[in-house]
Amino acid sequence: MADLLWDDVESLFDPGLMGALPDVVVPGTSVEDWQAVLDLVEGSGWTCRYSEGGAELPVPRAEAVLSRPADAECAELRVRPTAEVLAIFRFYSAEEIDFDLDLRELQGQDRLDVLCGFLTAIGRRLGKPVVMHGEGGAPGHPLLGFDVERDRVELLAAPLGAAETGAEEGRGGPGRPPAQPG
């Protein structure tokens, strides 16, 4: 069974409403966690491309990329779990793994399933939550994410339009307040 159903979350994947590149974060990380993600990407068979300032280079060790000077060219790792789904990792700090997703590509149940599998793989490898916010979104308003204890991707906010239908009632799970629209 799918973690999420497209019909339930479609509005969260509207680039016009959420921005084309929502932010995904794994908080409370370390250089070792970044390396675990790089190892996951390499071992998974996912297509990837690492670049610094537009120049394509071999994927470095996490310690090397995270210890670059603050004024160094922007480093990014573009990962495609499938040809149709893109995640763009940016190496801003060791303390938080940060990547964007391209919502223009994330349309329909099949691609949502790929996303859920991708977030689950990262969350399981690190044993940490993986949380998606709208582009430039406030960290206090997550949309969806991988829950370590439940071992699945869950909806963390009511989809747009749910308030009018009452669909947000009961969201949030045991021990969590219902998610606030936003």
Side-chain angles (χ1 to χ4, degrees):
M1 183 175 159
D3 284 356
L4 299 172
L5 297 176
W6 179 250
D7 290 344
D8 294 340
V9 299
E10 182 176 359
S11 66
L12 298 179
F13 289 82
D14 181 337
L17 297 173
M18 295 294 142
L21 300 171
D23 304 317
V24 182
V25 296
V26 182
T29 61
S30 64
V31 172
E32 292 79 16
D33 291 323
W34 269 104
Q35 188 60 52
V37 169
L38 295 176
D39 293 343
L40 174 65
V41 169
E42 181 182 353
S44 69
W46 297 329
T47 302
C48 71
R49 191 179 88 225
Y50 175 81
S51 64
E52 293 177 6
E56 194 168 330
L57 302 166
V59 178
R61 302 279 306 159
E63 183 176 6
V65 71
L66 290 166
S67 64
R68 295 166 0 108
D71 63 348
E73 294 282 347
C74 180
E76 71 177 29
L77 179 67
R78 296 169 94 66
V79 177
R80 286 197 175 274
T82 66
E84 302 84 15
V85 175
L86 174 64
I88 306 166
F89 289 81
R90 297 201 172 81
F91 298 83
Y92 295 130
S93 81
E95 292 78 28
E96 182 175 86
I97 294 174
D98 180 344
F99 61 100
D100 295 331
L101 299 166
D102 190 337
L103 289 190
R104 295 166 294 201
E105 296 182 345
L106 280 169
Q107 299 297 307
Q109 186 67 49
D110 290 344
R111 293 182 187 180
L112 177 61
D113 291 345
V114 170
L115 172 63
C116 289
F118 184 67
L119 299 180
T120 297
I122 293 170
R124 283 179 179 163
R125 176 65 61 104
L126 300 178
K128 297 178 189 268
V130 183
V131 182
M132 184 177 104
H133 306 272
E135 184 173 11
H141 292 72
L143 301 174
L144 60 88
F146 175 76
D147 183 305
V148 176
E149 291 177 17
R150 293 182 176 190
D151 193 38
R152 61 179 283 131
V153 175
E154 296 184 323
L155 187 60
L156 301 174
L160 300 177
E164 295 84 41
T165 64
E168 83 282 6
E169 291 178 22
R171 301 268 187 209
R176 292 189 215 158
Q180 298 299 311

